[in-house]
Amino acid sequence: MSAEIANAVQSLLTARRTGRQVPPPFALRDRAQVYAIQHGVAAATGPVVGWKVGARTPTAEPNPAPLLAGALVQSPARFDGKAMHMIGVEIEISFHIVQDIAARAAPVGRDEALGVVGDAFVGMEVVDTRLADFKSADPEWLLADNQMNHALVIGDSIMDWKKLDWATLPVSLTIDGKVEVEQNGGLGAVDPVRPLCWMIDHAVRLRGGIRKGQAITTGSWTGLRYYPPGTKARGAFAGLGAVEATF
């Protein structure tokens, strides 16, 4: 690990420990540096419990980030909103991994990838950042900071997910009892299975493998929305289940 990567890792770890945001310490040159920073933070905080992955369109290259130890929280979840720099909420379709695939150089095909996936579930990604002035920061730095992940709330299980019509799936976001989003579809990637399989292949070839018990969440259906402390958020996919958190 280079000195600048080591310094970046320590800055992000200090921000996590103290709650004080830090400015990006240098200009990132490539995605390899992003992954090295993610790896350094994850190595220092405990085993990776999952991954977040998102793609803006059905053909865009996905962006991956680890979910750190402690990031998986069961619904209904409660967070200390006053201790967060911001409270971002995204409603997602997430998946549980039920079988290991060890690290290797050979690609993981779609069939093999889906063979290690168990149920899907209604997920709520909770977003915060360790970076100061995040709105003006290089997006690669946001990715280096685990794409601003704070937690993934695990909602109701979805067993028959392979039969779903993802493009028309009804989704809603309710804040303090008021419906803020109610629509059909909304995921940039449209089909969450493509980034799911991409993430499994990426983790196996470049991130040390995929493990039973991990979760993979595949991007927001409702956009990233910010709320104040005291908010109660509920996300639902009609007929499939819901997820809740209070801040």
Side-chain angles (χ1 to χ4, degrees), residues 90-94 121-125 152-155 237 243:
E90 299 180 332
I91 305 306
E92 312 203 355
I93 292 288
S94 312
F121 61 90
V122 183
M124 180 188 295
E125 188 182 5
L152 177 64
V153 184
I154 300 172
F237 289 90
V243 61

Side-chain angles (χ1 to χ4, degrees), residues 22-244:
V22 296
F26 60 89
L28 290 165
R29 292 188 296 275
D30 53 34
R31 189 54 66 88
Q33 288 191 311
V34 172
Y35 295 161
I37 293 168
Q38 289 181 351
H39 175 76
V41 172
T45 56
V48 169
V49 297
W51 297 91
K52 62 172 290 183
V53 61
R56 293 187 179 277
T57 72
T59 58
E61 181 80 358
N63 291 314
L67 302 177
L68 302 182
L72 301 182
V73 184
Q74 291 290 330
S75 176
R78 183 173 293 275
F79 299 92
D80 182 0
K82 293 181 179 179
M84 298 172 65
H85 303 103
M86 62 186 185
I87 299 169
V89 173
E90 299 180 332
I91 305 306
E92 312 203 355
I93 292 288
S94 312
F95 299 86
H96 282 124
I97 299 299
V98 294
Q99 184 178 325
D100 296 353
I101 303 180
R104 71 187 196 209
V108 179
R110 180 184 175 96
D111 288 346
E112 183 182 5
L114 293 182
V116 304
V117 179
D119 64 316
F121 61 90
V122 183
M124 180 188 295
E125 188 182 5
V126 179
V127 171
D128 196 358
T129 182
R130 277 57 61 179
L131 297 173
D133 299 321
F134 77 96
K135 289 184 178 180
S136 61
D138 178 354
E140 291 295 282
W141 266 108
L142 301 182
L143 185 60
D145 183 32
N146 290 3
Q147 200 64 25
M148 303 194 295
N149 177 261
H150 181 76
L152 177 64
V153 184
I154 300 172
D156 290 329
S157 178
I158 305 169
M159 299 306 297
D160 294 330
W161 55 269
K162 293 181 181 179
K163 301 177 182 178
L164 295 175
D165 180 3
W166 300 112
T168 63
L169 207 61
V171 60
S172 65
L173 173 62
T174 303
I175 300 297
D176 297 329
K178 179 183 177 182
V179 176
E180 290 211 351
V181 178
E182 193 169 33
Q183 64 193 27
N184 293 332
L187 181 68
V190 181
D191 180 358
V193 177
R194 184 183 81 91
L196 169 68
C197 293
W198 183 97
M199 186 68 247
I200 293 171
D201 172 65
H202 174 84
V204 168
R205 290 187 298 106
L206 300 174
R207 301 299 191 101
I210 202 87
R211 296 196 316 277
K212 178 180 179 180
Q214 290 181 330
I216 296 177
T217 194
T218 55
S220 180
W221 293 64
T222 55
L224 174 54
R225 294 167 176 262
Y226 300 103
Y227 299 101
T231 295
K232 182 175 182 179
R234 183 180 191 272
F237 289 90
L240 299 177
V243 61
E244 296 183 355

